[in-house]
Amino acid sequence: MKRRVEIPFYGRAVYVYGPPQAQLEKLPGHIQISLNGLVMETIDLETKYREANDEPWNRQLMYSWEGGGGDAGHTLEISLLDDATGFWPWFPIRGFGLDSVVYTSLEPRRP
């Protein structure tokens, strides 16, 4: 089963933050980031947390995108790639969490 979240937004940039390492309940796994249906990046969150966050109570920047140009409607999709079921005790259950998603826009959304 593929676990994923879709986040529609209107703007020109987006920043995705994960929870602080001290708040993680599962081992962070590999995620795939897609924007408007195009795969943008695959991220190993375990490595990212280990290398980038030396303070366990700070939220973790998982992904950022700055499209340039004008504002537009987008759909950001975050998919968990390696989610063991936990059926066997030697396979860790992996997951990902979201703390916040921040997007920027220079103009109000228009219908």
Side-chain angles (χ1 to χ4, degrees):
M1 179 164 102
K2 188 173 184 180
R3 293 179 172 90
R4 64 186 171 97
V5 62
E6 288 185 2
I7 304 163
F9 70 96
Y10 183 83
R12 63 179 62 217
V14 66
Y15 305 89
V16 179
Y17 292 92
Q21 186 173 10
Q23 294 179 356
L24 294 176
E25 295 179 10
K26 299 179 179 183
L27 290 173
H30 290 77
I31 59 171
Q32 179 175 287
I33 305 286
S34 299
L35 187 67
N36 302 326
L38 299 172
V39 175
M40 303 298 284
E41 190 172 351
T42 299
I43 301 168
D44 176 0
L45 288 179
E46 188 173 7
T47 300
K48 192 167 203 59
Y49 269 95
R50 185 172 47 246
E51 291 175 352
N53 197 353
D54 51 347
E55 174 55 53
W57 291 103
N58 288 341
R59 62 187 183 157
Q60 174 66 50
L61 178 63
M62 296 191 315
Y63 177 74
S64 66
W65 172 79
E66 297 180 7
D71 293 342
H74 302 284
T75 300
L76 180 73
E77 181 180 299
I78 305 170
S79 302
L80 180 62
L81 296 180
D82 56 348
D83 57 335
T85 63
F87 183 75
W88 295 284
W90 56 87
F91 285 159
I93 298 174
R94 295 191 175 266
F96 73 93
L98 291 177
D99 180 83
S100 57
V101 177
V102 178
Y103 58 92
T104 62
S105 175
L106 292 180
E107 59 188 61
R109 183 175 175 118
R110 299 179 187 187

